[in-house]
Amino acid sequence: MAGMDCMGDMANMGSMANMGDMAGVTGRGLLCGSAAVPRNCAEEPKPAPTQEDEDTCSDYGSRDKPGSALSRAVPDGNVLFPDTFCTDHLLFYERFKAYQDYILADCKASEVKEFTAEYLEKVLERSGWQAVWRTDVFEVLVEVVDVEFSALKAVVQLCEPFLFESQVSTFTLECMQELLELKERRISLQELWVVYDESGEFDQTALAVEHVRFFYKCIWRSWDEEEEDDFDYFVRCVEPRLRLHYDILEHRVPSGLVADYHNYLSECEELYRKFLNVRNNISSSDSDSEMENVSMVEGLKLYEKIEHLKQKLKLIENPLLRYVFGYQKYSGLQAKGQRPTGNKIIHVVSSTVMASFLQSLIRDKLCPESCGEELEIQFHSDPLAAVNACYEGDTVIICPGHYVVDGVFCIADSIEMEGYGLPDDIVIEKQGKGDNFVDCTGANIKISNLKLVQHDAVEGILNVHQGKTTLENCVLQCETTGITVRTSAELLMKNSDLYGAKGAGVEIYPGSTCTLLDNGIHHCKEGILIKNFLDEHYDIPKISMANNMIHNNEGYGVVLVKPTVASDVKDASAERTTGNAQPTQSSDERAHVEGFRREELPECVADELELYNHAEISEGNHEIVSELGAASAKKSQMHRKRLSELGITEADDNLMSQEMFVSIVGNQFKWNGKGSFGTFLF
């Protein structure tokens, strides 16, 4: 039985130490110690550092520099406790260098403990130093009399006088002595904080203990040793996890994604503990009973869940995939619906207004004759407050001015939000490091004549989660990604200017509808990013682009994300160099991409796109249409294959018409760093 063989293999795997949740580290620090010889270098005397070297790195092992190079941490509690070395605020590159050059180098996961022990033997003082032993229950001052490097533990004794602090009042000196005897006076190095010494003699010891503590608290996973051992552990696991840790500290990861990561990590740890229990029970049993078979099935189910969670963790840990694929954020926006009275209100936003301007506003927007009924008007000084006061069918008119908001525009009802004037005169600037700026879930939202400015953000400037959003004559100054069109959502963007995104200017998810007309998308990481839709669970997006100027982006004008192999059907373009988009197409595929199915166009833009039908198709436009068409045809081919495997030879037309609708004409691609179109293979 295959399942029994699999469980048998798993039963032979060893168990590992558990790991706590990721801990926060803040502030600034000094470079990691360099007294130990890097593992990738021969053990020979180091050349004398130049002045430039001394400016960029610190040698804590140098005895010709009097005094400690580390700062001290003053205890908050018992003032009788001595100060300790402050080592928990090291910079990213300090930890990176320590783990890469001095501790782990190119070791495998199964060799981590051995390599760490070797590092400690070179830099750690074996005895003669004091430390504060800290747990969740107590703190006590101890003296280290020996170190067991292979076990990563120190042999300690209580200091005299006895310094002790506990949350449990009944915990006495006798209790502490008894606890030490039970532990054979061997304490994990992770629980020790080295007492500060001005001489600098124990700087290396304090740093070494910190590196061990941080590694097992924030980097190591209890299942790492069971992973494939053919790869460099530092490259595969340490570096991406370390980068994620500091990205989180520096608020470069959306809070929702951080919460997801911690939840996945906790869930995976819990499932892994259960898996170990099941596996140990199987390995200790000699019988071939029905109960053992049940345990094997349970173990296999746990194993599959663990692998699924591990893949999610790796996805978030990878800085590229983290933003290329993103995450399906839960949107809790609830529409209010119509106002109980049934009437609709116009919300006017202005801090101050001149009489002449008010007359113009009344004539152009508020005149009852134009709508045939009496209008109810509310005045606001804050655009966010105006949007929050809206019900279905309301209109928000924003007068010229510079508005600074500290919050998120959550638009769940069908409303109109328009500026009265030119976009550059009506600026809404996001303040603070909130995740989102504008979230849209309403059935029909229209935003026009506004300039949105984003700073210090970790999410895109506008997210269309569901429903339809129309963006017209707007300017968007982005920070991270620009506009995100989620699955099943629709975006119509016209006559707008978007720039400054550190990711893609526009991200198009599978199953969405995106129409871009007469826009400028420039000075972003990528212009437009079309996410992978070849998975069988994804629907193909409908994309229309006409007369856009996509220029001066760091990467490509348009990028398509797709797998190297999908559902056992090899993608021919995967064999080409990434970004070289000249797909080999069959005659059917060519017929598909050259055919223009006007009936699938959104009605609101059919007439406008008709103007571009006879426009000259530039090389960049044709290149994008060809590649997207080929990918769409591949999706159709995969779909037919799955139906055939199910015994379905004749399918409904709607079921089979899964090809992507593509209308890409009249666009200009200029001065993009890598060209007009590229493919990202994963």
PDB file of all heavy atoms in Angstrom, residues 2-13 279 282 296:
ATOM      1  N   ALA A   2       0.630   2.124  -0.954  1.00  0.00           N
ATOM      2  CA  ALA A   2       1.492   3.303  -1.095  1.00  0.00           C
ATOM      3  C   ALA A   2       1.456   4.165   0.138  1.00  0.00           C
ATOM      4  O   ALA A   2       2.459   4.717   0.581  1.00  0.00           O
ATOM      5  CB  ALA A   2       1.060   4.110  -2.325  1.00  0.00           C
ATOM      6  N   GLY A   3       0.239   4.329   0.725  1.00  0.00           N
ATOM      7  CA  GLY A   3       0.108   5.163   1.916  1.00  0.00           C
ATOM      8  C   GLY A   3       0.929   4.642   3.060  1.00  0.00           C
ATOM      9  O   GLY A   3       1.559   5.383   3.809  1.00  0.00           O
ATOM     10  N   MET A   4       0.965   3.282   3.218  1.00  0.00           N
ATOM     11  CA  MET A   4       1.747   2.698   4.310  1.00  0.00           C
ATOM     12  C   MET A   4       3.226   2.919   4.086  1.00  0.00           C
ATOM     13  O   MET A   4       3.986   3.188   5.017  1.00  0.00           O
ATOM     14  CB  MET A   4       1.436   1.202   4.411  1.00  0.00           C
ATOM     15  CG  MET A   4      -0.022   0.915   4.809  1.00  0.00           C
ATOM     16  SD  MET A   4      -0.407  -0.840   4.832  1.00  0.00           S
ATOM     17  CE  MET A   4       0.685  -1.389   6.151  1.00  0.00           C
ATOM     18  N   ASP A   5       3.673   2.796   2.815  1.00  0.00           N
ATOM     19  CA  ASP A   5       5.095   3.045   2.535  1.00  0.00           C
ATOM     20  C   ASP A   5       5.467   4.479   2.851  1.00  0.00           C
ATOM     21  O   ASP A   5       6.523   4.764   3.410  1.00  0.00           O
ATOM     22  CB  ASP A   5       5.386   2.751   1.056  1.00  0.00           C
ATOM     23  CG  ASP A   5       5.226   1.258   0.739  1.00  0.00           C
ATOM     24  OD1 ASP A   5       5.294   0.459   1.695  1.00  0.00           O
ATOM     25  OD2 ASP A   5       5.010   0.924  -0.442  1.00  0.00           O
ATOM     26  N   CYS A   6       4.553   5.407   2.470  1.00  0.00           N
ATOM     27  CA  CYS A   6       4.824   6.823   2.731  1.00  0.00           C
ATOM     28  C   CYS A   6       4.923   7.096   4.213  1.00  0.00           C
ATOM     29  O   CYS A   6       5.827   7.778   4.685  1.00  0.00           O
ATOM     30  CB  CYS A   6       3.737   7.677   2.102  1.00  0.00           C
ATOM     31  SG  CYS A   6       3.949   9.444   2.345  1.00  0.00           S
ATOM     32  N   MET A   7       3.979   6.525   4.971  1.00  0.00           N
ATOM     33  CA  MET A   7       4.009   6.731   6.410  1.00  0.00           C
ATOM     34  C   MET A   7       5.214   6.056   7.039  1.00  0.00           C
ATOM     35  O   MET A   7       5.785   6.526   8.015  1.00  0.00           O
ATOM     36  CB  MET A   7       2.715   6.194   7.044  1.00  0.00           C
ATOM     37  CG  MET A   7       1.515   7.087   6.794  1.00  0.00           C
ATOM     38  SD  MET A   7       1.773   8.758   7.424  1.00  0.00           S
ATOM     39  CE  MET A   7       1.956   8.418   9.162  1.00  0.00           C
ATOM     40  N   GLY A   8       5.610   4.942   6.434  1.00  0.00           N
ATOM     41  CA  GLY A   8       6.799   4.280   6.960  1.00  0.00           C
ATOM     42  C   GLY A   8       8.028   5.135   6.817  1.00  0.00           C
ATOM     43  O   GLY A   8       8.868   5.218   7.707  1.00  0.00           O
ATOM     44  N   ASP A   9       8.137   5.808   5.642  1.00  0.00           N
ATOM     45  CA  ASP A   9       9.265   6.715   5.431  1.00  0.00           C
ATOM     46  C   ASP A   9       9.220   7.864   6.406  1.00  0.00           C
ATOM     47  O   ASP A   9      10.229   8.272   6.973  1.00  0.00           O
ATOM     48  CB  ASP A   9       9.240   7.251   3.991  1.00  0.00           C
ATOM     49  CG  ASP A   9       9.520   6.139   2.989  1.00  0.00           C
ATOM     50  OD1 ASP A   9      10.111   5.114   3.390  1.00  0.00           O
ATOM     51  OD2 ASP A   9       9.129   6.326   1.822  1.00  0.00           O
ATOM     52  N   MET A  10       8.003   8.409   6.624  1.00  0.00           N
ATOM     53  CA  MET A  10       7.867   9.545   7.533  1.00  0.00           C
ATOM     54  C   MET A  10       8.159   9.120   8.963  1.00  0.00           C
ATOM     55  O   MET A  10       8.623   9.897   9.778  1.00  0.00           O
ATOM     56  CB  MET A  10       6.463  10.137   7.425  1.00  0.00           C
ATOM     57  CG  MET A  10       6.236  10.881   6.116  1.00  0.00           C
ATOM     58  SD  MET A  10       4.642  11.706   6.073  1.00  0.00           S
ATOM     59  CE  MET A  10       3.564  10.310   5.800  1.00  0.00           C
ATOM     60  N   ALA A  11       7.864   7.859   9.272  1.00  0.00           N
ATOM     61  CA  ALA A  11       8.088   7.389  10.636  1.00  0.00           C
ATOM     62  C   ALA A  11       9.555   7.324  10.992  1.00  0.00           C
ATOM     63  O   ALA A  11       9.934   7.330  12.165  1.00  0.00           O
ATOM     64  CB  ALA A  11       7.462   6.013  10.816  1.00  0.00           C
ATOM     65  N   ASN A  12      10.409   7.286   9.973  1.00  0.00           N
ATOM     66  CA  ASN A  12      11.849   7.211  10.229  1.00  0.00           C
ATOM     67  C   ASN A  12      12.495   8.574  10.396  1.00  0.00           C
ATOM     68  O   ASN A  12      13.683   8.685  10.648  1.00  0.00           O
ATOM     69  CB  ASN A  12      12.534   6.478   9.063  1.00  0.00           C
ATOM     70  CG  ASN A  12      12.126   5.026   8.998  1.00  0.00           C
ATOM     71  OD1 ASN A  12      11.916   4.407  10.044  1.00  0.00           O
ATOM     72  ND2 ASN A  12      12.018   4.475   7.791  1.00  0.00           N
ATOM     73  N   MET A  13      11.707   9.620  10.213  1.00  0.00           N
ATOM     74  CA  MET A  13      12.276  10.973  10.320  1.00  0.00           C
ATOM     75  C   MET A  13      12.374  11.391  11.776  1.00  0.00           C
ATOM     76  O   MET A  13      11.519  11.069  12.589  1.00  0.00           O
ATOM     77  CB  MET A  13      11.405  11.969   9.544  1.00  0.00           C
ATOM     78  CG  MET A  13      11.296  11.639   8.057  1.00  0.00           C
ATOM     79  SD  MET A  13      10.175  12.797   7.228  1.00  0.00           S
ATOM     80  CE  MET A  13      10.202  12.130   5.567  1.00  0.00           C
ATOM     81  N   ARG A 279       3.016   9.906  14.144  1.00  0.00           N
ATOM     82  CA  ARG A 279       4.142   9.162  13.579  1.00  0.00           C
ATOM     83  C   ARG A 279       4.879   8.375  14.644  1.00  0.00           C
ATOM     84  O   ARG A 279       5.267   7.218  14.425  1.00  0.00           O
ATOM     85  CB  ARG A 279       5.100  10.130  12.883  1.00  0.00           C
ATOM     86  CG  ARG A 279       6.191   9.445  12.078  1.00  0.00           C
ATOM     87  CD  ARG A 279       7.077  10.456  11.399  1.00  0.00           C
ATOM     88  NE  ARG A 279       7.820  11.256  12.357  1.00  0.00           N
ATOM     89  CZ  ARG A 279       8.626  12.254  12.024  1.00  0.00           C
ATOM     90  NH1 ARG A 279       8.748  12.586  10.750  1.00  0.00           N
ATOM     91  NH2 ARG A 279       9.283  12.928  12.936  1.00  0.00           N
ATOM     92  N   ILE A 282       2.969   5.291  15.548  1.00  0.00           N
ATOM     93  CA  ILE A 282       3.091   4.242  14.527  1.00  0.00           C
ATOM     94  C   ILE A 282       4.437   3.548  14.628  1.00  0.00           C
ATOM     95  O   ILE A 282       4.541   2.320  14.571  1.00  0.00           O
ATOM     96  CB  ILE A 282       2.901   4.842  13.121  1.00  0.00           C
ATOM     97  CG1 ILE A 282       1.471   5.363  12.958  1.00  0.00           C
ATOM     98  CG2 ILE A 282       3.208   3.811  12.042  1.00  0.00           C
ATOM     99  CD1 ILE A 282       1.234   6.098  11.654  1.00  0.00           C
ATOM    100  N   MET A 296      -2.273   5.754  10.084  1.00  0.00           N
ATOM    101  CA  MET A 296      -1.537   6.103   8.867  1.00  0.00           C
ATOM    102  C   MET A 296      -2.342   7.059   8.000  1.00  0.00           C
ATOM    103  O   MET A 296      -1.810   8.038   7.462  1.00  0.00           O
ATOM    104  CB  MET A 296      -1.205   4.838   8.078  1.00  0.00           C
ATOM    105  CG  MET A 296      -0.080   4.010   8.668  1.00  0.00           C
ATOM    106  SD  MET A 296       0.352   2.637   7.605  1.00  0.00           S
ATOM    107  CE  MET A 296       1.757   1.965   8.501  1.00  0.00           C
TER     108      MET A 296
END
